[in-house]
Amino acid sequence: MTPEPEPAPEPAPPPASVSASVSVPDPLRDPVREEPVREQPLREEPLRTPAPSLAPASTPTPDPDPAPGPDPLHPLLQAFAGRPAAVAGVGKDPVNLPMIRHWCEAMGDEHPAYRGPGAVAPPTMLQAWTMGGLSGHTGRSSAYEELFALLDGAGCTSVVATDCEQEYLRPLRPGDEITFDTVVESVSARKTTRLGTGYFVTTRTDVRAGAVLAGTHRFRILKYAPTARSSEATPRATPAPAPQVTPEPRPLRPRPVINRDNAGFWEGVAAHRLLIQRCGGCSALRFPWLPGCLDCGSRAWDTVQASGAGTVFSYVVMHHPPFPAFDPPYAVGLIELAEGVRIISNVVGVPPDEVRIGMPVRLEFLRADEELELPVFRAEGKQ
């Protein structure tokens, strides 16, 4: 007998590309000026990626200690830890090239590994294959509904998604049939945040391709009782002379996380220059800033200064939930710059409901407070 040839090893998937995505409260992404070329070593990190958010919103930070006083509700909530939230869920579609293409076009990811006969799905699409769409899923267990009913009954009627974490174990390929199971992994002790007092609920979804575990998706939300605003907390009474009080200072916008990979970008913003990275190997432009090129892998790069012209590629109008330092409604746009890269920022100078895809915009810099300046985009022709 002639031995069968061993199958060729599978190509390693490309690094996970993390892009902005809107968090949802349900667990079931002037001329060109050149700077000197600089090289920077790539850092090795575990293949575990937090999912970011489109809106300039701050994650509610809990106090280091639980809210004071006994909490008779917490033992009841803890009883849900380990109970299934969804059992034997089935993805509505197999992994497929059209969805991969739509995702890559929306995220601006042109990596060749996501195209052609041997394509793999971007790792950050892991949750996309489990989503139920407008019609939802039928495999959700009663435990999840019971947990939310208990929290609602305790006054924790508001919800905000805080973060998610994904681990990738196997690349997904077109034709893979997706199944998944979700479990309520933990319910925190009662916590007090700026938004209100409530509980962090974490669910874990194990995603499989056939019978093989492909990845794990952890999703955390805060179910809370909203903090009453000062106007709501004070009952109406007979008007009396208003005491002279010093108004509370306006909350500050969240601070950007500045590290060695993006420090040059924020230095440019401070100088009123919007800098785009350019690969020293293949000259591809990239944004946001990264330590290496996704196209050729080169670690050499320099920068070019954006002209400031752009168009609205996509946008959302934020109404709820409210966040300190932001006055809803406001428009968050995905702006396609004249140089071809895209950046997420606010669209100003026009009412949010008048923002349109394709609208021409121009860069300007907003002084948010004494320490923070941000690039924003003003609708052309608006002052």
Side-chain angles (χ1 to χ4, degrees):
M1 296 177 61
T2 302
E4 295 182 358
E6 294 183 359
E10 296 179 347
S17 57
V18 180
S19 303
S21 62
V22 177
S23 292
V24 293
D26 193 336
L28 273 195
R29 227 201 57 142
D30 329 321
V32 170
R33 300 175 57 184
E34 301 187 357
E35 301 290 332
V37 174
R38 291 179 284 181
E39 289 203 9
Q40 183 173 336
L42 284 170
R43 294 177 295 168
E44 294 187 359
E45 297 183 359
L47 196 54
R48 178 177 294 183
T49 59
S53 174
L54 264 178
S58 59
T59 298
T61 304
D63 290 343
D65 298 315
D71 182 14
L73 181 62
H74 188 233
L76 301 177
L77 299 176
Q78 277 188 312
F80 286 89
R83 293 183 61 181
V87 179
V90 178
K92 293 210 165 181
D93 296 286
V95 177
N96 61 85
L97 282 173
M99 285 180 64
I100 293 174
R101 176 172 57 82
H102 294 161
W103 174 281
C104 291
E105 287 179 355
M107 298 301 179
D109 194 337
E110 299 180 354
H111 198 287
Y114 307 145
R115 303 191 300 268
V120 298
T124 47
M125 287 189 73
L126 183 69
Q127 186 190 18
W129 308 111
T130 69
M131 290 182 168
L134 296 178
S135 57
H137 279 297
T138 58
R140 179 176 283 184
S141 74
S142 61
Y144 195 77
E145 306 300 337
E146 292 169 9
L147 173 60
F148 268 54
L150 193 59
L151 288 165
D152 289 341
C156 298
T157 55
S158 295
V159 63
V160 61
T162 61
D163 62 281
C164 77
E165 182 181 279
Q166 296 181 339
E167 297 179 60
Y168 312 117
L169 305 175
R170 171 200 185 278
L172 295 176
R173 294 181 170 81
D176 283 341
E177 298 282 351
I178 300 301
T179 59
F180 60 92
D181 297 283
T182 302
V183 64
V184 178
E185 191 168 64
S186 65
V187 182
S188 75
R190 185 174 59 189
K191 301 287 184 178
T192 298
T193 73
R194 286 188 177 184
L195 295 178
T197 298
Y199 303 84
F200 288 89
V201 179
T202 303
T203 56
R204 187 191 77 243
T205 300
D206 294 330
V207 182
R208 294 178 175 81
V212 179
L213 183 63
T216 298
H217 174 82
R218 284 180 173 86
F219 195 90
R220 186 172 295 108
I221 64 170
L222 172 65
K223 278 283 284 181
Y224 65 99
T227 300
R229 297 183 180 180
S230 57
S231 60
E232 299 171 352
T234 304
R236 294 187 177 275
T238 304
Q244 296 296 320
V245 294
T246 302
E248 294 185 4
R250 180 180 177 85
L252 299 180
R253 287 201 180 201
R255 307 290 98 171
V257 177
I258 300 177
N259 54 40
R260 65 180 185 176
D261 292 335
N262 64 13
F265 170 77
W266 291 105
E267 291 168 3
V269 169
H272 287 192
R273 303 170 66 210
L274 185 62
L275 299 179
I276 304 169
Q277 278 185 314
R278 178 173 57 190
C279 176
C282 64
S283 299
L285 300 181
R286 64 178 184 260
F287 193 91
W289 282 36
L290 295 170
C293 180
L294 292 176
D295 292 331
C296 72
S298 172
R299 292 175 291 174
W301 57 272
D302 62 0
T303 61
V304 297
Q305 181 175 344
S307 66
T311 57
V312 176
F313 184 82
S314 183
Y315 70 95
V316 295
V317 177
M318 296 297 299
H319 293 272
H320 186 81
F323 293 95
F326 294 94
D327 297 319
Y330 54 91
V332 180
L334 179 60
I335 308 301
E336 186 165 74
L337 300 178
E339 291 75 16
V341 299
R342 297 171 189 156
I343 178 175
I344 297 172
S345 184
N346 289 115
V347 180
V348 300
V350 64
D353 59 355
E354 294 183 15
V355 176
R356 294 292 182 269
I357 291 176
M359 172 183 285
V361 292
R362 179 158 291 277
L363 171 71
E364 64 180 47
F365 292 88
L366 170 69
R367 172 65 68 178
D369 55 57
E370 293 182 357
E371 300 177 352
L372 181 63
E373 199 157 16
L374 298 169
V376 297
F377 289 84
R378 181 173 294 275
E380 285 277 32
K382 306 293 182 180
Q383 299 297 326

